[in-house]
Amino acid sequence: MSEIVALSAIFALLLFHSIALYLSSRETPATMLPDLTTLTIETKRLVLKPISAAYTDAIFTEFTSEVATYMYPRPAEKRIETEAFVAAAQEENEEGSSLIMVITQRETGDFLGCVGLHKLTQTRPEFGIWVKQSAHMHGYGREAVRALKQWADRHLDYEYLIYPVDSRNIASRKIPESLGACIISQYDDRGGMGQDLTLIKYRIDR
């Protein structure tokens, strides 16, 4: 009888350990990621590179109030603010908690903007993107997000991806919609410049 009890206890411990391992794997889908500090993603027209100090001036200059109209972040007033942002983004890449990249033109190497996938260790990572004003209306944002989603499909065990966007930002809304996304929520908020936002969250499945 004691042997049966002992075996039952061992079985229960093994079962508990298996469940714990499963839950842990669901909470941290990015444990097998490649080195995000050296990752490069290429498309037909673009090259996505890990954010670095080399792009501080471009980000400081191009992330303007016009670009940030429908966004949470506010443009930096001083270069040191952009330096802090870049350093924090690099740290997130090193930790594997986010993948934050610059968008460059493949042929010329010109800086076009930034794209990121945040909350990589969760089951619902979240996109962020902006493209400089002079590069609007060329489909660069859509191309960059599509490439990053393809990377996520290969490397992340996600439930679905989230794409937040202001309801009035029609050009940006077309990006998740081109990937077959559906709206899962809408709410009012306030951006970093004090502007009112009506945000929509899109769900992007595999």
Side-chain angles (χ1 to χ4, degrees):
M1 183 69 176
S2 60
E3 292 180 355
I4 295 176
V5 173
L7 288 173
S8 297
I10 292 172
F11 176 76
L13 285 172
L14 289 172
L15 180 61
F16 177 80
H17 182 65
S18 298
I19 293 173
L21 285 176
Y22 171 77
L23 292 175
S24 175
S25 69
R26 294 298 298 170
E27 292 173 357
T28 56
T31 53
M32 300 301 291
L33 287 178
D35 184 357
L36 303 185
T37 65
T38 60
L39 176 68
T40 298
I41 301 174
E42 297 187 16
T43 70
K44 184 177 180 179
R45 299 182 298 167
L46 308 174
V47 178
L48 310 185
K49 304 176 181 180
I51 194 168
S52 71
Y55 293 95
T56 301
D57 285 332
I59 295 171
F60 177 63
T61 301
E62 299 294 353
F63 189 62
T64 63
S65 57
E66 290 78 17
V67 170
T69 298
Y70 298 121
M71 300 178 66
Y72 271 126
R74 63 168 179 81
E77 296 179 0
K78 299 180 180 179
R79 188 181 188 277
I80 193 171
E81 297 176 54
T82 304
E83 291 174 1
F85 161 75
V86 171
Q90 287 181 291
E91 186 175 342
E92 290 183 42
N93 284 351
E94 291 171 4
E95 294 171 347
S97 58
S98 294
L99 174 55
I100 304 171
M101 313 187 83
V102 294
I103 308 167
T104 64
Q105 200 166 40
R106 184 166 184 162
E107 290 186 0
T108 65
D110 288 347
F111 172 84
L112 299 175
C114 291
V115 64
L117 195 55
H118 307 278
K119 304 177 183 178
L120 296 184
T121 59
Q122 300 181 25
T123 57
R124 300 171 185 176
E126 187 170 307
F127 278 110
I129 185 170
W130 65 270
V131 174
K132 66 181 183 180
Q133 189 77 20
S134 61
H136 285 186
M137 307 304 293
H138 294 284
Y140 293 136
R142 181 181 301 191
E143 191 169 330
V145 168
R146 184 177 293 274
L148 202 50
K149 181 190 180 296
Q150 291 172 347
W151 177 87
D153 289 347
R154 293 191 298 270
H155 295 281
L156 300 181
D157 181 24
Y158 67 84
E159 180 183 359
Y160 58 84
L161 305 176
I162 293 175
Y163 187 104
V165 58
D166 188 273
S167 62
R168 297 161 295 178
N169 193 346
I170 303 302
S172 187
R173 290 182 61 175
K174 289 180 180 179
I175 294 175
E177 289 171 359
S178 74
L179 295 170
C182 62
I183 296 173
I184 57 174
S185 66
Q186 180 171 320
Y187 56 96
D188 294 329
D189 212 327
R190 191 172 297 276
M193 297 186 296
Q195 76 278 33
D196 292 328
L197 300 174
T198 300
L199 294 172
I200 291 173
K201 278 191 176 182
Y202 281 94
R203 167 178 174 153
I204 304 174
D205 291 309
R206 287 183 179 273

mmCIF file of all heavy atoms in Angstrom, residues 96-118:
data_model
loop_
_atom_site.group_PDB
_atom_site.id
_atom_site.type_symbol
_atom_site.label_atom_id
_atom_site.label_comp_id
_atom_site.label_asym_id
_atom_site.label_seq_id
_atom_site.Cartn_x
_atom_site.Cartn_y
_atom_site.Cartn_z
ATOM 1 N N GLY A 96 15.798 41.085 -25.155
ATOM 2 C CA GLY A 96 14.851 40.250 -25.888
ATOM 3 C C GLY A 96 13.408 40.540 -25.534
ATOM 4 O O GLY A 96 12.515 39.761 -25.879
ATOM 5 N N SER A 97 13.151 41.663 -24.864
ATOM 6 C CA SER A 97 11.778 42.004 -24.507
ATOM 7 C C SER A 97 11.055 42.714 -25.641
ATOM 8 O O SER A 97 9.829 42.691 -25.722
ATOM 9 C CB SER A 97 11.762 42.892 -23.256
ATOM 10 O OG SER A 97 12.511 44.078 -23.465
ATOM 11 N N SER A 98 11.818 43.363 -26.520
ATOM 12 C CA SER A 98 11.263 44.033 -27.702
ATOM 13 C C SER A 98 12.250 43.885 -28.854
ATOM 14 O O SER A 98 13.433 43.603 -28.636
ATOM 15 C CB SER A 98 11.021 45.529 -27.442
ATOM 16 O OG SER A 98 10.032 45.740 -26.477
ATOM 17 N N LEU A 99 11.732 44.094 -30.052
ATOM 18 C CA LEU A 99 12.584 44.186 -31.233
ATOM 19 C C LEU A 99 12.293 45.543 -31.858
ATOM 20 O O LEU A 99 11.228 45.758 -32.437
ATOM 21 C CB LEU A 99 12.280 43.066 -32.222
ATOM 22 C CG LEU A 99 13.022 43.148 -33.571
ATOM 23 C CD1 LEU A 99 14.526 43.228 -33.370
ATOM 24 C CD2 LEU A 99 12.662 41.947 -34.452
ATOM 25 N N ILE A 100 13.222 46.477 -31.705
ATOM 26 C CA ILE A 100 13.037 47.845 -32.189
ATOM 27 C C ILE A 100 14.069 48.111 -33.274
ATOM 28 O O ILE A 100 15.277 47.985 -33.041
ATOM 29 C CB ILE A 100 13.170 48.857 -31.039
ATOM 30 C CG1 ILE A 100 12.165 48.509 -29.925
ATOM 31 C CG2 ILE A 100 12.936 50.275 -31.557
ATOM 32 C CD1 ILE A 100 12.347 49.298 -28.658
ATOM 33 N N MET A 101 13.595 48.476 -34.472
ATOM 34 C CA MET A 101 14.467 48.572 -35.632
ATOM 35 C C MET A 101 14.279 49.899 -36.356
ATOM 36 O O MET A 101 13.244 50.554 -36.211
ATOM 37 C CB MET A 101 14.184 47.414 -36.601
ATOM 38 C CG MET A 101 14.086 46.055 -35.933
ATOM 39 S SD MET A 101 13.966 44.672 -37.105
ATOM 40 C CE MET A 101 15.713 44.431 -37.496
ATOM 41 N N VAL A 102 15.282 50.280 -37.120
ATOM 42 C CA VAL A 102 15.142 51.421 -38.020
ATOM 43 C C VAL A 102 14.807 50.877 -39.403
ATOM 44 O O VAL A 102 15.216 49.770 -39.773
ATOM 45 C CB VAL A 102 16.421 52.280 -38.070
ATOM 46 C CG1 VAL A 102 16.671 52.927 -36.721
ATOM 47 C CG2 VAL A 102 17.624 51.472 -38.510
ATOM 48 N N ILE A 103 14.045 51.658 -40.139
ATOM 49 C CA ILE A 103 13.673 51.304 -41.509
ATOM 50 C C ILE A 103 14.558 52.107 -42.450
ATOM 51 O O ILE A 103 14.607 53.339 -42.358
ATOM 52 C CB ILE A 103 12.197 51.639 -41.790
ATOM 53 C CG1 ILE A 103 11.288 51.040 -40.712
ATOM 54 C CG2 ILE A 103 11.780 51.162 -43.179
ATOM 55 C CD1 ILE A 103 9.866 51.585 -40.753
ATOM 56 N N THR A 104 15.279 51.436 -43.324
ATOM 57 C CA THR A 104 16.132 52.139 -44.281
ATOM 58 C C THR A 104 15.789 51.693 -45.694
ATOM 59 O O THR A 104 15.298 50.579 -45.911
ATOM 60 C CB THR A 104 17.626 51.878 -44.019
ATOM 61 O OG1 THR A 104 17.923 50.485 -44.216
ATOM 62 C CG2 THR A 104 18.011 52.267 -42.604
ATOM 63 N N GLN A 105 16.062 52.575 -46.636
ATOM 64 C CA GLN A 105 15.823 52.256 -48.039
ATOM 65 C C GLN A 105 16.941 51.347 -48.537
ATOM 66 O O GLN A 105 18.124 51.620 -48.305
ATOM 67 C CB GLN A 105 15.754 53.537 -48.866
ATOM 68 C CG GLN A 105 15.060 53.381 -50.198
ATOM 69 C CD GLN A 105 14.723 54.740 -50.803
ATOM 70 O OE1 GLN A 105 15.524 55.658 -50.724
ATOM 71 N NE2 GLN A 105 13.547 54.859 -51.390
ATOM 72 N N ARG A 106 16.563 50.287 -49.187
ATOM 73 C CA ARG A 106 17.554 49.280 -49.571
ATOM 74 C C ARG A 106 18.607 49.819 -50.534
ATOM 75 O O ARG A 106 19.804 49.550 -50.381
ATOM 76 C CB ARG A 106 16.837 48.079 -50.199
ATOM 77 C CG ARG A 106 17.768 46.925 -50.560
ATOM 78 C CD ARG A 106 17.001 45.669 -50.854
ATOM 79 N NE ARG A 106 17.889 44.554 -51.112
ATOM 80 C CZ ARG A 106 17.541 43.280 -51.073
ATOM 81 N NH1 ARG A 106 16.284 42.966 -50.769
ATOM 82 N NH2 ARG A 106 18.407 42.334 -51.321
ATOM 83 N N GLU A 107 18.201 50.586 -51.521
ATOM 84 C CA GLU A 107 19.135 51.051 -52.543
ATOM 85 C C GLU A 107 20.047 52.172 -52.054
ATOM 86 O O GLU A 107 21.237 52.199 -52.379
ATOM 87 C CB GLU A 107 18.366 51.512 -53.785
ATOM 88 C CG GLU A 107 17.710 50.377 -54.563
ATOM 89 C CD GLU A 107 17.095 50.864 -55.856
ATOM 90 O OE1 GLU A 107 17.188 52.081 -56.149
ATOM 91 O OE2 GLU A 107 16.520 50.040 -56.586
ATOM 92 N N THR A 108 19.498 53.089 -51.276
ATOM 93 C CA THR A 108 20.263 54.277 -50.881
ATOM 94 C C THR A 108 20.754 54.252 -49.440
ATOM 95 O O THR A 108 21.673 54.995 -49.081
ATOM 96 C CB THR A 108 19.417 55.540 -51.069
ATOM 97 O OG1 THR A 108 18.294 55.486 -50.158
ATOM 98 C CG2 THR A 108 18.898 55.634 -52.502
ATOM 99 N N GLY A 109 20.127 53.424 -48.594
ATOM 100 C CA GLY A 109 20.468 53.415 -47.175
ATOM 101 C C GLY A 109 19.833 54.545 -46.390
ATOM 102 O O GLY A 109 20.098 54.709 -45.193
ATOM 103 N N ASP A 110 18.977 55.345 -47.047
ATOM 104 C CA ASP A 110 18.339 56.479 -46.375
ATOM 105 C C ASP A 110 17.444 56.013 -45.225
ATOM 106 O O ASP A 110 16.738 55.004 -45.333
ATOM 107 C CB ASP A 110 17.494 57.280 -47.370
ATOM 108 C CG ASP A 110 18.343 58.067 -48.349
ATOM 109 O OD1 ASP A 110 19.566 58.188 -48.114
ATOM 110 O OD2 ASP A 110 17.779 58.563 -49.349
ATOM 111 N N PHE A 111 17.467 56.776 -44.147
ATOM 112 C CA PHE A 111 16.609 56.500 -43.002
ATOM 113 C C PHE A 111 15.164 56.866 -43.337
ATOM 114 O O PHE A 111 14.894 57.955 -43.855
ATOM 115 C CB PHE A 111 17.078 57.320 -41.798
ATOM 116 C CG PHE A 111 16.163 57.252 -40.617
ATOM 117 C CD1 PHE A 111 16.243 56.207 -39.713
ATOM 118 C CD2 PHE A 111 15.216 58.251 -40.401
ATOM 119 C CE1 PHE A 111 15.384 56.157 -38.614
ATOM 120 C CE2 PHE A 111 14.362 58.216 -39.303
ATOM 121 C CZ PHE A 111 14.445 57.165 -38.419
ATOM 122 N N LEU A 112 14.225 55.968 -43.020
ATOM 123 C CA LEU A 112 12.810 56.204 -43.321
ATOM 124 C C LEU A 112 11.930 56.285 -42.080
ATOM 125 O O LEU A 112 10.875 56.907 -42.111
ATOM 126 C CB LEU A 112 12.275 55.096 -44.236
ATOM 127 C CG LEU A 112 12.950 54.959 -45.609
ATOM 128 C CD1 LEU A 112 12.393 53.750 -46.343
ATOM 129 C CD2 LEU A 112 12.755 56.225 -46.435
ATOM 130 N N GLY A 113 12.344 55.646 -41.003
ATOM 131 C CA GLY A 113 11.518 55.647 -39.803
ATOM 132 C C GLY A 113 11.913 54.514 -38.872
ATOM 133 O O GLY A 113 13.011 53.953 -38.973
ATOM 134 N N CYS A 114 11.012 54.176 -37.955
ATOM 135 C CA CYS A 114 11.256 53.106 -36.980
ATOM 136 C C CYS A 114 10.060 52.157 -36.941
ATOM 137 O O CYS A 114 8.919 52.568 -37.144
ATOM 138 C CB CYS A 114 11.470 53.675 -35.586
ATOM 139 S SG CYS A 114 13.007 54.593 -35.360
ATOM 140 N N VAL A 115 10.359 50.898 -36.655
ATOM 141 C CA VAL A 115 9.307 49.899 -36.492
ATOM 142 C C VAL A 115 9.708 48.993 -35.338
ATOM 143 O O VAL A 115 10.898 48.737 -35.125
ATOM 144 C CB VAL A 115 9.096 49.075 -37.784
ATOM 145 C CG1 VAL A 115 10.325 48.262 -38.144
ATOM 146 C CG2 VAL A 115 7.862 48.179 -37.670
ATOM 147 N N GLY A 116 8.725 48.554 -34.574
ATOM 148 C CA GLY A 116 9.036 47.705 -33.438
ATOM 149 C C GLY A 116 7.948 46.688 -33.159
ATOM 150 O O GLY A 116 6.792 46.858 -33.556
ATOM 151 N N LEU A 117 8.350 45.634 -32.478
ATOM 152 C CA LEU A 117 7.412 44.647 -31.973
ATOM 153 C C LEU A 117 7.737 44.502 -30.490
ATOM 154 O O LEU A 117 8.833 44.069 -30.118
ATOM 155 C CB LEU A 117 7.576 43.320 -32.709
ATOM 156 C CG LEU A 117 6.449 42.297 -32.557
ATOM 157 C CD1 LEU A 117 5.109 42.902 -32.963
ATOM 158 C CD2 LEU A 117 6.729 41.060 -33.398
ATOM 159 N N HIS A 118 6.802 44.924 -29.651
ATOM 160 C CA HIS A 118 7.021 44.982 -28.215
ATOM 161 C C HIS A 118 6.349 43.799 -27.504
ATOM 162 O O HIS A 118 5.525 43.106 -28.079
ATOM 163 C CB HIS A 118 6.483 46.303 -27.667
ATOM 164 C CG HIS A 118 7.022 47.500 -28.393
ATOM 165 N ND1 HIS A 118 8.254 48.049 -28.125
ATOM 166 C CD2 HIS A 118 6.494 48.240 -29.404
ATOM 167 C CE1 HIS A 118 8.476 49.086 -28.923
ATOM 168 N NE2 HIS A 118 7.416 49.226 -29.705
#
